[in-house]
Amino acid sequence: AVPCRAVPCRAVPCRGAVAASQRGGAAGRGFPARCSAAGPRVLPVLPVRVSGAGMVRQGGGGAPKPCGDGRGAEVAAEVRVSRRRWAVVLLFSGYSLCNAFQWIEYGSINNVFVRFYGVSTFAIDWLSMSYMLAYIPLLFPVAWLLDKKGLRLIALLGSALNALGAWVKLGSLRPQLFAVTVLGQVVCSVAQVFILGMPSRIASVWFSPREVSTACSIAVFGNQLGIAFGFLIPPVLVPNVEDVEKLAYHISIMFYMTAGVATALFILVVIVFKEKPPYPPSRAQALIQSRPTEEYSYVQSILRLLRNANFVLLMVTYGLNTGCFYSLSTLLNRMVIHHYPKEEVNAGRIGLTIVLSGMAGALISGLWLDRTKTYKQTTLVVYIMSLVGMIVYTFTLNLGHLWVVFVTAGVLGFFMTGYLPLGFEFAAELTYPESEGTSSGLLNVSAQIFGIAFTISQGKIIDHFGTKAGNLFLCSFLFLGSIMTAFIRADLRRQQANVENEHTVSNPPFSLCCAPAIGSGQTSLSPAWEWSWPLSEL
């Protein structure tokens, strides 16, 4: 498990040196000679054992010790996954779910909140768009904080702000208190800045290369499941009743439930969520952790990412696809009610279908990537199928058959929503060893910008030209994104780093020999491979 640079070949005693050490002198006391051009010279050596886990150990036992000269290029840390990793990713998914639920809870019953607060549909749309708007200026400070302070602080701030926003909304249970519900939604929108950039970072820090894409998909699942619940639960808890007092009571039930769940999740984050596992889960992560902090410049990292042509293409295409999803989710209630009046509950169920099928697509894509590592091909196919699904949905929405809308929405969601974790993982591959928080943050900035533009534009088009024209507007941008995706080169840097380190392990840059036992003149061979290293090189 020792990379080639960690142990220069000149530091390793060859068979001749070991043989010479065994013939007499200091060798009988466990100090083999070392070959050089001037002849053998005796150096003090400790027997060293590499265990099955790949750690360097002294012959006498004891705790594993990583080797290297401290410059960050040398890494010999033990690679091991932690049992806590699943608790961490599932807990993150939990409070991400709660935050996503609060994003879409207004849009899924847009007409109900329009009547309760006495405001326009555009004002309610802005409650959803506030999430997109808040993310753009706050991304860079939060991404900097993630790189400087780590995962735990970001998790604490995200879950705490999510709970705070939920409690603030409880003060808005009167029609004249729309400003208070805006304030609560703004607090929640700030919380999501601490959430959206986390999936690929959690996957890389906590999971092995064989699990990383699946873990990223699970982390994204929370957000998607929250959107699904946001489509399903509000129409059930808040029926479209005429009495304002009864309507306020139903809204209060939804707000109290959300606040209670958000608070419980914050407490669990305080108890369970840790900064990182005791050992790095992959060799690529070990190399990153070995880099001194002062060597990393956040500004330079952003500049390097923006000079990476493949990443810039992915950033634009990810923004186009995800922006279409944000616009579709925000305006879904308006589009369904336009063609199917009084079907608020089914409008929510159609949204649920989109997200649940997308979660299945994301899981399948993650498992496929973990097995094949075909990031470019998978991303392109999913993108093209998102376009096909959007076209089919556009031309079947007004047929008058709700079951057809359910089917076509499910197909659309399978690919469009399933694309989201693919973008994160592809970005992590293209930009290694840059921080996953920075790369995913830039992807999300692109998504928020396009999401705001698409939501406003599609809403205006629907008002003036109908739902078909609005959906065709989105189709045109998905077509553009498909073409741009084809030009992204599959430069899989993270995968290459893991392959190179595995190659180093299977082809170590030194000769294997039997280490003489300390205190005896005999050579012994234990079940694990053993050899001797000079103290000056450890």
Side-chain angles (χ1 to χ4, degrees):
V2 185
C4 186
R5 292 182 62 189
V7 185
C9 294
R10 61 178 176 79
V12 182
C14 64
R15 291 185 181 274
V18 175
S21 71
Q22 293 172 354
R23 286 198 292 268
R29 295 185 297 275
F31 298 130
R34 176 176 166 181
C35 292
S36 69
R41 58 191 178 98
V42 176
L43 288 177
V45 173
L46 281 178
V48 177
R49 177 191 303 259
V50 171
S51 69
M55 286 297 293
V56 178
R57 300 178 183 272
Q58 293 185 2
K65 305 288 183 183
C67 67
D69 67 359
R71 294 192 301 269
E74 297 83 358
V75 180
E78 181 174 5
V79 173
R80 183 192 302 175
V81 292
S82 169
R83 293 180 181 177
R84 187 186 289 264
R85 68 192 187 280
W86 296 111
V88 168
V89 74
L90 289 175
L91 181 56
F92 168 79
S93 293
Y95 73 82
S96 177
L97 179 155
C98 185
N99 184 260
F101 175 87
Q102 296 192 77
W103 167 57
I104 203 65
E105 66 182 346
Y106 296 99
S108 62
I109 47 174
N110 184 292
N111 58 323
V112 175
F113 279 106
V114 164
R115 189 166 57 82
F116 180 74
Y117 287 116
V119 296
S120 66
T121 57
F122 190 64
I124 299 299
D125 289 343
W126 267 111
L127 290 176
S128 296
M129 287 190 286
S130 65
Y131 267 56
M132 310 173 202
L133 189 63
Y135 191 88
I136 298 169
L138 294 178
L139 159 70
F140 296 107
V142 172
W144 176 85
L145 197 62
L146 174 61
D147 288 327
K148 291 296 182 182
K149 301 300 181 181
L151 287 171
R152 177 171 167 80
L153 177 63
I154 300 301
L156 289 171
L157 290 174
S159 56
L161 288 170
N162 185 58
L164 177 62
W167 285 107
V168 169
K169 290 179 184 180
L170 282 166
S172 66
L173 296 176
R174 291 289 180 268
Q176 66 272 22
L177 296 176
F178 180 68
V180 179
T181 209
V182 170
L183 176 61
Q185 188 74 344
V186 168
V187 174
C188 291
S189 70
V190 174
Q192 61 103 31
V193 184
F194 293 86
I195 294 172
L196 288 186
M198 294 271 279
S200 59
R201 183 65 171 264
I202 291 175
S204 293
V205 170
W206 283 89
F207 288 83
S208 71
R210 295 182 178 180
E211 301 170 331
V212 67
S213 296
T214 304
C216 186
S217 297
I218 293 173
V220 174
F221 272 3
N223 188 274
Q224 300 307 304
L225 192 58
I227 297 172
F229 286 161
F231 280 119
L232 177 66
I233 296 176
V236 175
L237 293 181
V238 187
N240 191 6
V241 297
E242 296 296 329
D243 191 306
V244 174
E245 289 298 322
K246 289 184 178 180
L247 194 56
Y249 170 74
H250 290 300
I251 293 174
S252 70
I253 292 176
M254 181 174 71
F255 284 174
Y256 271 113
M257 289 176 58
T258 306
V261 171
T263 304
L265 288 167
F266 169 67
I267 294 172
L268 285 174
V269 169
V270 173
I271 297 171
V272 175
F273 207 103
K274 300 299 181 184
E275 176 62 35
K276 60 183 180 181
Y279 301 97
S282 68
R283 304 191 188 285
Q285 191 62 30
L287 288 168
I288 291 177
Q289 292 181 10
S290 70
R291 179 178 57 189
T293 305
E294 58 271 13
E295 288 185 6
Y296 179 79
S297 169
Y298 178 66
V299 175
Q300 290 300 317
S301 176
I302 293 176
L303 293 177
R304 285 191 296 270
L305 289 175
L306 295 178
R307 288 194 295 265
N308 185 331
N310 292 310
F311 174 72
V312 171
L313 279 173
L314 179 63
M315 185 171 67
V316 174
T317 57
Y318 182 89
L320 291 172
N321 189 298
T322 311
C324 289
F325 171 71
Y326 287 163
S327 179
L328 184 68
S329 301
T330 302
L331 302 176
L332 181 65
N333 174 267
R334 289 172 58 183
M335 289 190 286
V336 174
I337 295 301
H338 176 78
H339 293 289
Y340 306 92
K342 302 297 183 180
E343 292 287 355
E344 291 89 356
V345 174
N346 275 320
R349 290 171 180 169
I350 291 171
L352 174 70
T353 302
I354 291 175
V355 178
L356 290 182
S357 60
M359 291 173 63
L363 178 60
I364 294 171
S365 298
L367 293 171
W368 175 258
L369 286 182
D370 280 333
R371 289 180 176 272
T372 65
K373 306 300 181 185
T374 53
Y375 290 88
K376 163 69 180 293
Q377 298 90 325
T378 305
T379 302
L380 180 59
V381 169
V382 171
Y383 212 116
I384 293 173
M385 293 306 298
S386 297
L387 170 61
V388 173
M390 188 69 201
I391 293 173
V392 174
Y393 171 80
T394 298
F395 287 97
T396 57
L397 180 61
N398 61 352
L399 293 181
H401 302 289
L402 267 175
W403 69 269
V404 175
V405 180
F406 272 95
V407 172
T408 56
V411 173
L412 172 63
F414 183 86
F415 295 104
M416 179 176 283
T417 313
Y419 172 82
L420 302 183
L422 288 179
F424 284 136
E425 279 304 291
F426 198 12
E429 290 289 339
L430 293 175
T431 61
Y432 177 87
E434 305 297 341
S435 167
E436 294 88 354
T438 308
S439 62
S440 60
L442 289 173
L443 291 185
N444 281 318
V445 163
S446 176
Q448 311 309 318
I449 293 173
F450 283 112
I452 294 173
F454 289 169
T455 302
I456 295 174
S457 301
Q458 188 186 13
K460 295 298 182 182
I461 292 173
I462 289 174
D463 290 339
H464 291 87
F465 303 102
T467 58
K468 182 177 291 186
N471 286 328
L472 286 174
F473 169 78
L474 298 184
C475 290
S476 64
F477 285 98
L478 287 174
F479 176 72
L480 176 63
S482 299
I483 295 175
M484 295 178 68
T485 300
F487 286 95
I488 300 175
R489 187 167 60 90
D491 182 17
L492 307 182
R493 301 179 180 181
R494 184 177 64 180
Q495 184 65 19
Q496 184 63 27
N498 282 318
V499 170
E500 288 175 354
N501 279 278
E502 290 290 347
H503 176 73
T504 302
V505 174
S506 59
N507 298 278
F510 36 72
S511 301
L512 297 178
C513 54
C514 298
I518 299 293
S520 69
Q522 297 179 349
T523 299
S524 62
L525 182 63
S526 68
W529 288 349
E530 296 180 345
W531 61 85
S532 298
W533 262 334
L535 281 175
S536 61
E537 301 295 346
L538 288 178

